Amino acid sequence: MHIVRFSLGVFIILFLISLIDILYDWDSMGELNAHILIELFMGLMSLTAFGVLLFSSWKQKKTLQKMGSNLIQAEAALNTAKQQSNKLKGEFSKIIQSQFDLWNFTQSEREVALLLLKGLTLEEIAAVRETKEKTVRQQASNLYKKAGISGRHELVAFFFEDLLM
């Protein structure tokens, strides 16, 4: 913005110098001639450049203000969406935990089931829980039996099926 102000000032100074020079030349020469016409043309060019720069600066300022307003609105909408998303995540988590209660999952089975829902393999679950893969496999088998499902795909489908509709 400082460059624009500087440029506007330079154009005005150039115009004023041209105007003063034209007035002195007119007074000393007494008539309109090529020298005065050239200076008049240069002064008008400076004045035109000033006008164009002033208009484009004003237009740019308006555009930036509108973009700022749009950004504020977008941030507000994003914040609202994040709040709704967090609320829905909390509600979905409660639904999952309630279903685990109905199936009478132990704490270990709950942990394994959540990790299965997140897409981890039995080997990855064993590493996360710092247990053997065989233990995780047994816990997974137990929770499938309690839930009356045949495997991880049905477990995932049980919770996510309604979300895809």
Side-chain angles (χ1 to χ4, degrees):
M1 198 62 168
H2 296 293
I3 292 173
V4 172
R5 288 183 184 161
F6 174 76
S7 299
L8 287 170
V10 168
F11 287 131
I12 285 297
I13 291 170
L14 288 174
F15 173 74
L16 292 174
I17 290 171
S18 295
L19 184 63
I20 292 169
D21 190 38
I22 290 169
L23 293 175
Y24 277 118
D25 288 346
W26 184 276
D27 188 45
S28 66
M29 295 179 188
E31 63 183 35
L32 189 64
N33 60 31
H35 177 79
I36 292 176
L37 285 174
I38 290 172
E39 288 179 350
L40 186 60
F41 177 72
M42 296 298 287
L44 290 175
M45 282 182 45
S46 295
L47 190 59
T48 302
F50 172 82
V52 168
L53 187 59
L54 186 63
F55 177 74
S56 66
S57 173
W58 173 79
K59 194 165 180 125
Q60 182 182 29
K61 184 177 179 181
K62 290 292 181 191
T63 301
L64 288 174
Q65 287 173 343
K66 186 175 180 181
M67 288 172 62
S69 175
N70 289 345
L71 179 60
I72 289 169
Q73 290 174 353
E75 286 174 341
L78 179 60
N79 189 31
T80 300
K82 282 182 180 178
Q83 289 173 350
Q84 289 175 340
S85 175
N86 287 337
K87 184 178 177 183
L88 290 173
K89 280 192 241 178
E91 292 299 318
F92 190 55
S93 179
K94 287 178 186 175
I95 291 168
I96 291 171
Q97 293 301 327
S98 294
Q99 189 60 48
F100 288 175
D101 288 341
L102 290 174
W103 286 333
N104 294 316
F105 283 180
T106 65
Q107 184 58 37
S108 295
E109 290 168 343
R110 288 172 184 268
E111 291 173 10
V112 171
L114 283 174
L115 294 172
L116 286 169
L117 288 172
K118 289 182 180 186
L120 275 68
T121 65
L122 296 177
E123 183 179 329
E124 291 168 333
I125 294 171
V128 168
R129 296 191 69 240
E130 298 178 352
T131 60
K132 295 185 180 187
E133 186 178 344
K134 185 176 179 182
T135 302
V136 172
R137 188 176 307 279
Q138 185 60 49
Q139 290 167 331
S141 178
N142 290 343
L143 70 90
Y144 296 149
K145 284 179 192 170
K146 287 181 179 181
I149 56 177
S150 63
R152 103 174 30 230
H153 293 78
E154 284 187 33
L155 177 67
V156 171
F158 183 89
F159 291 105
F160 292 98
E161 182 176 34
D162 292 336
L163 294 177
L164 300 176
M165 297 297 184

